[in-house]
Amino acid sequence: MSTRIAIASGKGGTGKTTVALNLFTILGDTIAEKIELVDCDVEEPNDQIFFKHAELESQENIYQIVPHIDEDLCIFCRNCVEYCEFNAIVVLPGVKFAEVNKSLCHSCGACSIACAQEAILEYPQKIGMVNSYGIKNQIKLKEGRLKIGSVMQTRLIKELKNRISGDSDIIIYDSPPGTSCPVVETISDTDYVILVTEPTLFGLHDLKLMVNLMKEVNIPYGVVVNKAGLGDNEVYDYLKNQKIDLLGEITFSKDYASIYAQGEIIENMPESIKYQYDHIIEKLMQKLEDD
Amino acid sequence: MKTLITASDNNTEALFDKRFGRAAWFCVYDEDSKDIKFIENMNVNANNGAGTKAAEKAVELDIKKIISGDFGPKAKDLLTKFQIQMVIIQEDELTINQIINTLTG
């Protein structure tokens, strides 16, 4: 069984990708023979950019099935409207109008069952793709890439996860920001969640939202304070008061931010930062063993 | 010609509700008969598609003009398709009566 770890944050820009990439790289170099990084930020996947020598191994289009109502066959009985949990179907008997709103449709198929006239046809519609890359040996990267205009983030993340081979020692999910459905889907099957925050008012505000979510899903979690040295001490007081595990800190460094901006954090990890990650991994492994 | 005004309650002294799909009531004003009716919005708490449902209701009621605070893209599509005029009022604190009075001039 693989150990599944998600890196999430609530707030955007706290350093999810940085932490995910560094943990992935260090774990891959040390304790994990087979490891996979999964970029679940399907609206803007960017993990792959940091691996300049990654080789694209496969590319698969992902579809959702959407219904279409044939107005010539439809008797405008509104049965399908009654069945639809998502208010995605508009049927107006008075003007003989029937239409499915694709952006509301969840592809559940209930309307097809509801229709006795066989007026509902289903056809596939592309929502995005899943790309798989090889980094080296058993070290892999997978990403979901949402089609522009599609709102099916959560479904694509689900499909992305279905395509992960279960034989890795460790799987790291780089989560999208926020606390809504795509994030819930990302963390749903994990053994541990690392919440990355920054010691600012904004970081703390969104961390609290994320902590509320964690309580709801009941998955063990700990916090990494990134950009330590910026802002104030409120986040530390909060963690102490709430008895939330602090896995470690990563000191803010302008030089490091500039290495990140150039996409070179994998090749150029400063010793001082590596040391901080080693410390985080040590604590993380301890937590995983405890749970 | 019938006009729909989004309302926070079911009487003419009620405040205008600037939300379209999430308004509690729809006030239907018939400019010819001067008849005023209030219809409860059954989809006010729907998880999805409240705007679409409200637009659907408007088509069903043969409304020609809707007065609200804003219209979402899905509702807008449907209303445009059925050539229902969308009027946006951004003012707060207006009552339904005040809006009807401006209609009758």
Side-chain angles (χ1 to χ4, degrees):
Chain A
M1 267 291 279
S2 323
T3 302
R4 292 162 195 260
I5 304 163
I7 319 293
S9 75
K11 184 184 178 298
T14 56
K16 282 179 299 299
T17 297
T18 313
V19 171
L21 288 171
N22 283 325
L23 290 181
F24 173 62
T25 307
I26 298 172
L27 288 169
D29 284 344
T30 54
I31 52 175
E33 199 181 316
K34 289 184 178 178
I35 183 164
E36 192 157 12
L37 174 63
V38 183
D39 195 345
C40 296
D41 190 1
V42 298
E43 284 180 75
E44 38 200 9
N46 61 355
D47 290 356
Q48 178 265 327
I49 299 171
F50 293 88
F51 300 96
K52 295 184 182 68
H53 306 294
E55 240 172 82
L56 184 64
E57 289 178 344
S58 72
Q59 204 161 29
E60 186 188 346
N61 286 329
I62 307 295
Y63 299 89
Q64 75 167 131
I65 303 295
V66 286
H68 176 79
I69 304 174
D70 185 336
E71 283 179 315
D72 293 334
L73 295 174
C74 179
I75 56 163
F76 308 97
C77 68
R78 291 178 59 88
N79 243 354
C80 56
V81 176
E82 297 303 318
Y83 267 59
C84 182
E85 211 25 54
F86 307 101
N87 284 340
I89 306 176
V90 178
V91 174
L92 296 161
V95 285
K96 298 210 178 312
F97 175 84
E99 191 181 71
V100 177
N101 195 319
K102 288 177 202 119
S103 61
L104 288 172
C105 175
H106 283 54
S107 306
C108 70
C111 53
S112 303
I113 293 168
C115 185
Q117 307 303 314
E118 292 183 19
I120 296 181
L121 307 165
E122 292 181 323
Y123 65 97
Q125 179 173 281
K126 188 177 165 184
I127 58 168
M129 54 204 316
V130 169
N131 298 326
S132 306
Y133 299 88
I135 309 288
K136 60 179 179 189
N137 306 329
Q138 304 292 321
I139 301 180
K140 309 265 180 204
L141 168 67
K142 252 192 181 56
E143 65 171 18
R145 201 167 273 272
L146 192 71
K147 186 179 165 220
I148 293 173
S150 173
V151 291
M152 290 294 142
Q153 294 90 328
T154 308
R155 176 165 291 265
L156 182 57
I157 294 169
K158 208 172 268 185
E159 297 287 346
L160 168 65
K161 285 187 158 190
N162 284 343
R163 285 161 176 76
I164 298 170
S165 63
D167 61 355
S168 291
D169 304 318
I170 300 176
I171 299 167
I172 296 178
Y173 297 132
D174 189 5
S175 165
T179 47
S180 58
C181 303
V183 177
V184 177
E185 179 58 43
T186 301
I187 64 174
S188 62
D189 63 339
T190 54
D191 301 293
Y192 196 86
V193 178
I194 298 175
L195 304 181
V196 183
T197 189
E198 55 180 40
T200 64
L201 268 178
F202 305 104
L204 178 58
H205 177 271
D206 292 356
L207 173 67
K208 286 178 183 169
L209 296 177
M210 201 62 211
V211 166
N212 284 339
L213 172 61
M214 294 315 301
K215 285 178 184 160
E216 200 122 326
V217 294
N218 205 16
I219 298 169
Y221 65 99
V223 171
V224 166
V225 177
N226 188 26
K227 309 183 203 173
L230 283 181
D232 55 30
N233 282 323
E234 273 191 52
V235 68
Y236 301 101
D237 295 340
Y238 169 75
L239 294 177
K240 203 183 257 173
N241 287 336
Q242 299 290 316
K243 298 190 172 66
I244 295 169
D245 290 327
L246 176 63
L247 295 175
E249 298 175 78
I250 300 146
T251 314
F252 176 72
S253 143
K254 214 170 177 177
D255 291 337
Y256 187 64
S258 113
I259 298 173
Y260 178 92
Q262 287 161 34
E264 288 175 352
I265 54 169
I266 307 289
E267 303 90 323
N268 293 326
M269 191 185 299
E271 265 310 304
S272 57
I273 289 197
K274 165 109 185 1
Y275 178 78
Q276 292 180 318
Y277 275 101
D278 287 341
H279 176 75
I280 290 168
I281 288 172
E282 199 180 307
K283 263 201 143 167
L284 173 68
M285 288 304 142
Q286 208 179 320
K287 293 288 166 202
L288 286 170
E289 259 171 52
D290 292 349
D291 291 315
Chain B
M1 189 189 89
K2 285 196 273 189
T3 299
L4 185 153
I5 307 162
T6 44
S8 58
D9 207 347
N10 62 350
N11 60 76
T12 52
E13 287 313 310
L15 283 176
F16 166 59
D17 193 330
K18 292 206 286 189
R19 300 163 306 167
F20 176 55
R22 305 284 177 188
W25 294 85
F26 300 132
C27 170
V28 178
Y29 173 64
D30 190 323
E31 281 181 40
D32 306 318
S33 67
K34 309 288 177 211
D35 189 31
I36 299 171
K37 255 195 308 198
F38 284 87
I39 295 163
E40 195 172 358
N41 179 6
M42 305 311 281
N43 290 288
V44 64
N45 290 322
N47 284 334
N48 305 281
T52 312
K53 282 284 154 190
E56 189 183 273
K57 191 86 199 162
V59 177
E60 242 173 67
L61 295 167
D62 199 23
I63 303 288
K64 295 289 177 231
K65 185 197 281 181
I66 301 177
I67 301 176
S68 192
D70 204 359
F71 300 88
K74 293 188 273 284
K76 215 180 268 180
D77 279 353
L78 202 60
L79 295 173
T80 309
K81 205 168 277 171
F82 288 97
Q83 296 184 320
I84 297 174
Q85 190 188 1
M86 289 167 265
V87 179
I88 292 174
I89 297 183
Q90 282 297 3
E91 244 170 285
D92 288 306
E93 308 288 313
L94 280 177
T95 65
I96 298 304
N97 226 348
Q98 282 170 314
I99 293 174
I100 290 176
N101 285 340
T102 58
L103 283 174
T104 48

